[in-house]
Amino acid sequence: MVRTCRFPGCTRDGAPPTPGVGRPSEYCDDPAHHRASAWRARQKTGGTATPGRPPVAADLDRPVTIATARAETGLAVLRGEVDRMLARLSGLAADLQTAGDPGATAVQIAAVTTDADRRVAAATARTAAVEQALREERAARAEADAAATEALTAVEETTATLTDVREQLHAAHGETDGLRGDLAAARDTAETELADLRGQLQTRTGELRQAEAARVQTDRELAAARDTAGDLRTQLAVATDQLAAARSQVTGLSGRLDSSEAARTRAETDLAVTHARAETAETDLAATRARAEQTADLLHAAHTDLAVTRQQAQTAQAAVAELRTQLAGAPRPPTARH
């Protein structure tokens, strides 16, 4: 930022700073524009400061500079007064010598000398005060330099701390990126396992549907076998009744054995056929019951596998949900500022 010359009424830019030497100059390159001349100019104009800047607020933050300027100005004024006094004394001495009155001249010279000594003493005292002010200003400047050095040290320490924090932040960003990669890999693995479990679930569901269809078919066959067994039992009962009737007839017609032998043979043949049919029906019924029990076992196993598969699918879905929650809650790297 380019500063404007602080000399009252001057609008030129401040002189460029010397590389590596202090802060930039507050005045332009005009040799007549410096701190003392600016102070005298402000005193002549009633304290008017640079245009566009308040006359008092501009100098409140530079008490050491203002004190130094005032001390230098006061010293210059005192030196001017001493020079003028010496000139006046010289003129008075010449006038006294010209007047030619040695006594009056001696008295006047003594009086003037006494007054001059008094004024010189006062000027000397003021000069001592100004020099004391200058020494105090130098001490204050030394304290200011020490404070600036301490501030610079604090800035360097803060910069080093900030560098460490940036390195830690960079390392944290690297760990966050690694964690994101691990979470992404875990999510892909979980989604793959979930897809496999869904395929197994679909396969198990298909097998369960086939087993259910087989069970329905078996129930139908079992019902048909039961109906057949009922018919065979009825036929067996009828055949048994016929056999009993035939035996009664055989017992009652023993005298007519020759004539009824053929009928007995036919009845026994029919009975044997009926017994064979009944045994076949019972065998079919037992086989049907065995198939039904086997189908029930398969159906129970399919139900068990389906429950296990559903449990695994729920576990996988919970794992995927947890991974998504962790991924959503993971810290994001800050957006780079331009």
Side-chain angles (χ1 to χ4, degrees):
M1 178 178 180
V2 179
R3 296 185 179 183
T4 305
C5 179
R6 297 194 62 196
F7 192 87
C10 182
T11 59
R12 300 173 63 186
D13 295 337
T18 302
V21 181
R23 62 180 181 179
S25 175
E26 296 180 349
Y27 300 93
C28 62
D29 54 2
D30 188 346
H33 289 183
H34 49 79
R35 186 179 296 110
S37 62
W39 186 85
R40 287 195 295 270
R42 283 194 293 271
Q43 295 299 319
K44 291 180 181 180
T45 58
T48 303
T50 303
R53 183 163 49 202
V56 178
D59 297 333
L60 289 178
D61 58 344
R62 298 180 178 86
V64 176
T65 302
I66 297 304
T68 303
R70 290 177 180 176
E72 292 177 353
T73 303
L75 183 60
V77 171
L78 289 177
R79 288 173 179 172
E81 291 180 358
V82 170
D83 292 339
R84 286 194 299 273
M85 184 62 66
L86 292 176
R88 289 179 61 187
L89 289 175
S90 299
L92 287 174
D95 291 339
L96 288 173
Q97 290 178 359
T98 302
D101 187 356
T105 300
V107 172
Q108 187 172 357
I109 289 174
V112 171
T113 303
T114 302
D115 183 64
D117 292 338
R118 180 180 59 80
R119 293 187 178 185
V120 169
T124 303
R126 288 195 295 270
T127 302
V130 170
E131 291 177 350
Q132 179 64 26
L134 287 175
R135 286 193 294 271
E136 293 177 355
E137 185 272 337
R138 292 191 184 97
R141 182 178 298 175
E143 293 179 356
D145 293 339
T149 303
E150 293 178 357
L152 181 60
T153 303
V155 169
E156 292 176 352
E157 293 177 354
T158 304
T159 303
T161 303
L162 181 59
T163 301
D164 294 338
V165 170
R166 286 177 178 173
E167 292 178 354
Q168 294 176 3
L169 183 60
H170 182 70
H173 287 170
E175 293 178 358
T176 302
D177 294 337
L179 180 59
R180 288 179 181 274
D182 294 340
L183 289 176
R187 182 185 61 186
D188 295 338
T189 303
E191 289 180 353
T192 302
E193 292 179 355
L194 181 59
D196 294 338
L197 289 174
R198 285 176 178 172
Q200 295 178 6
L201 180 60
Q202 292 178 357
T203 302
R204 295 291 185 181
T205 303
E207 293 177 355
L208 181 60
R209 289 176 180 175
Q210 293 177 359
E212 186 68 20
R215 185 187 64 79
V216 172
Q217 182 64 27
T218 302
D219 290 341
R220 292 177 181 175
E221 292 178 356
L222 182 59
R226 287 175 180 173
D227 294 338
T228 303
D231 295 338
L232 292 175
R233 287 193 185 96
T234 302
Q235 294 177 5
L236 180 60
V238 172
T240 303
D241 292 340
Q242 291 177 357
L243 180 59
R247 286 177 179 175
S248 298
Q249 291 176 3
V250 168
T251 302
L253 299 175
S254 57
R256 299 164 55 186
L257 181 59
D258 294 336
S259 60
S260 60
E261 185 67 26
R264 185 181 66 82
T265 302
R266 287 194 302 271
E268 289 178 354
T269 301
D270 293 337
L271 181 60
V273 171
T274 302
H275 276 290
R277 289 180 179 178
E279 290 176 357
T280 302
E282 289 179 355
T283 302
D284 293 339
L285 180 60
T288 302
R289 287 179 179 176
R291 288 197 301 271
E293 292 176 357
Q294 184 179 3
T295 302
D297 293 338
L298 292 175
L299 183 61
H300 179 71
H303 278 291
T304 303
D305 293 340
L306 179 60
V308 173
T309 303
R310 287 179 178 173
Q311 182 65 31
Q312 292 176 353
Q314 291 177 358
T315 303
Q317 289 178 353
V320 171
E322 183 178 359
L323 288 175
R324 289 178 177 173
T325 303
Q326 293 178 359
L327 184 60
R332 296 181 177 178
T335 305
R337 296 182 178 177
H338 298 285

